[in-house]
Amino acid sequence: MMRYIFYAFLVYLAYRLIFGFIIPVYRTTRQVKRQFRDMQEKMQEQHNNTNINDEGPKQYESKPGTATSKVGDYIDFEEIK
């Protein structure tokens, strides 16, 4: 009789281990891997889209004859020796 109780206890512990720990860890690991893969695919797609749309480095040139506007209380600094 004691042997059956012991085996029943071992089966119960195995059940709790499998359904309480191993399966949730497996599902979580699978979900995290899927999310990382999706994120990498989106980043790769975004990287490919920016490479297609870019024609080169953008250079901003000021037009000759136009003064740059100063905003705020900025004062040009000139060092006096």
Side-chain angles (χ1 to χ4, degrees), residues 7-53:
Y7 288 139
F9 182 69
L10 286 180
V11 169
Y12 171 75
L13 287 179
Y15 173 82
R16 293 285 294 172
L17 177 69
I18 291 171
F19 290 100
F21 181 72
I22 294 175
I23 291 177
V25 168
Y26 172 74
R27 287 180 180 171
T28 303
T29 303
R30 192 173 65 188
Q31 181 181 5
V32 168
K33 284 182 182 180
R34 184 174 55 238
Q35 288 175 346
F36 270 110
R37 186 176 55 245
D38 291 345
M39 184 174 58
Q40 286 177 343
E41 289 174 359
K42 286 180 184 178
M43 289 179 68
Q44 186 66 33
E45 181 180 312
Q46 193 175 40
H47 179 71
N48 290 340
N49 287 342
T50 56
N51 285 346
I52 293 171
N53 294 336

